[in-house]
Amino acid sequence: MVMGAAGSKLEKALGDQFPEGERYFGLENFGNTCYCNSVLQALYFCLPFREQLLEYYANNKSGGEAEDNLLTCLADLFTQISSQKKKTGVIAPKRFVQRVKKQNELFRSYMHQDAHEFLNFLLNELVDILEKESNAAKASPETSSSSEKIANGLNHPQGNGVRKEPVSTWVHKCFQGILTNETRCLRCETVTARDETFLDLSLDIEQNSSITSCLKNFSSTETLNAEDKFFCDKCCSLQEAQKRMKIKQPPNILVIHLKRFKYIEQLSRYKKLSYHVVFPLELKLSNTIDNADCEYSLFAVVVHVGSGPNHGHYVSLVKSHNHWLFFDDENVEMIDESTIQTFFGSTQEYSSNTDHGYILFYERLGGGC
């Protein structure tokens, strides 16, 4: 069987360097479900997330009468992969994909879907389920201590001040960061700061740029004037102002989404930007408020293959135990680290290379969830 052969090829390639207890499994495609498979592989190799999910499964599997939800289906899938006897092979994430389609009509068709939309939907759905479980646990005192610990990871009473303390589920602890939106009135110099949380950052991209320059643009100061003036509470009137967005609290896992699909007014449709955007293996965030230097290391990339937004394919590149692997649905193979730069994008507008990095996953060095 071809798949088995591919698996044994990977085992041969790694030889005695095959990581103890690790599993490398391809995922079967159920008709255009590569958007889902590529994101699942990136999340599986996000170790803090995987560990929490496996622990959640172990703590909750006794309640067999509970109804399936996206969290239990995902936990079940990750547990299935991690407990396989064989080191490599293929798994069909059928129950999970069925649940996604049942839950969200957006993913029901066989059309090409957006991997970033899927990731967003999935993380928000998991957060909702964990928060509901945590609140239910608080409501019933006899179960509170154990299940609250599981659902919440941390036990935060909810503040009812101006800014709600975010309920800290373990999904938040992995992916959530805080942005500060600062607006300075140019007349009275008063700074209004508003905090907002994020699970991923969407960055505008330019030709021949880098993640670092995209992040700088993201945090650059913009002047609000003419019809965009800002209402200053102190001046009680519309004033010219300067606005900037800063990362106040960097997340443990930084997910960066490159806005490769742009709506072109004249064409009334989306166009894929094949721009060359360099994403480094090691990333320094130097524009954060509290942390002068926060360092990250790249561990996964979801790649969009294809020249347009409405068709194409998704694959993922994943770093596991210092080896880079290429996951393309059922197929898993080893790649050289230097291959990663072939996914930066094209320096010319029309290029035969259509494999472009789309979602980047960085883990914070020196800090887990």
Side-chain angles (χ1 to χ4, degrees), residues 70-299:
L70 219 50
L71 177 59
T72 53
C73 291
L74 185 64
D76 179 60
L77 175 65
F78 276 26
T79 304
Q80 242 186 54
I81 296 171
S82 69
S83 56
Q84 288 291 322
K85 297 238 183 326
K86 283 161 67 185
K87 293 177 179 178
T88 57
V90 177
I91 272 186
K94 194 162 189 173
R95 200 173 133 208
F96 177 78
V97 170
Q98 279 173 339
R99 185 73 227 181
V100 168
K101 293 188 173 195
K102 186 175 175 184
Q103 200 88 18
N104 189 331
E105 59 188 81
L106 185 71
F107 301 112
R108 265 173 228 164
S109 75
Y110 285 100
M111 302 227 332
H112 181 68
Q113 303 289 354
D114 188 315
H116 177 245
E117 271 177 27
F118 170 69
L119 173 65
N120 240 314
F121 159 71
L122 178 58
L123 292 182
N124 283 305
E125 196 63 34
L126 298 184
V127 162
D128 280 355
I129 295 166
L130 288 170
E131 284 177 350
K132 279 194 190 100
E133 287 182 6
S134 166
N135 292 334
K138 281 184 189 136
S140 62
E142 69 280 1
T143 59
S144 78
S145 60
S146 64
S147 31
E148 193 161 69
K149 255 203 327 272
I150 298 157
N152 238 11
L154 252 190
N155 209 335
H156 270 319
Q158 203 160 321
N160 46 10
V162 184
R163 202 183 114 235
K164 242 174 31 177
E165 262 303 296
V167 178
S168 194
T169 68
W170 47 261
V171 177
H172 287 119
K173 292 221 297 268
C174 283
F175 298 104
Q176 183 172 275
I178 298 175
L179 291 170
T180 293
N181 202 334
E182 283 183 353
T183 313
R184 178 191 300 274
C185 170
L186 291 179
R187 182 172 168 219
C188 69
E189 295 289 319
T190 303
V191 175
T192 311
R194 200 180 75 243
D195 283 356
E196 49 192 82
T197 57
F198 66 93
L199 294 175
D200 64 15
L201 283 184
S202 286
L203 299 183
D204 287 309
I205 58 173
E206 288 171 2
Q207 179 56 296
N208 295 325
S209 59
S210 67
I211 292 300
T212 316
S213 64
C214 294
L215 280 166
K216 272 209 185 80
N217 286 344
F218 179 79
S219 297
S220 64
T221 304
E222 117 187 50
T223 303
L224 304 174
N225 54 23
E227 63 269 20
D228 292 329
K229 280 184 183 167
F230 164 75
F231 186 86
C232 173
D233 288 338
K234 197 166 178 194
C235 299
C236 290
S237 58
L238 288 170
Q239 294 295 337
E240 290 198 352
Q242 281 185 329
K243 181 179 149 201
R244 64 179 274 185
M245 188 81 101
K246 276 162 58 170
I247 298 172
K248 177 178 179 180
Q249 200 179 304
N252 286 316
I253 304 292
L254 174 64
V255 180
I256 292 176
H257 158 238
L258 302 181
K259 294 185 185 173
R260 287 205 175 272
F261 302 118
K262 187 180 182 184
Y263 189 74
I264 310 293
E265 290 287 347
Q266 306 89 294
L267 303 172
S268 305
R269 62 180 170 85
Y270 282 89
K271 173 183 194 284
K272 182 179 176 187
L273 305 176
S274 58
Y275 297 163
H276 189 260
V277 182
V278 175
F279 44 90
L281 296 172
E282 306 296 326
L283 177 68
K284 259 199 174 99
L285 281 192
S286 47
N287 62 342
T288 59
I289 295 175
D290 307 330
N291 262 353
D293 263 338
C294 186
E295 289 193 57
Y296 285 89
S297 178
L298 184 73
F299 71 88

Side-chain angles (χ1 to χ4, degrees), residues 45-58:
F45 291 95
C46 175
L47 294 184
F49 178 80
R50 185 207 302 186
E51 280 157 17
Q52 292 283 358
L53 196 57
L54 295 179
E55 191 183 320
Y56 175 88
Y57 183 83

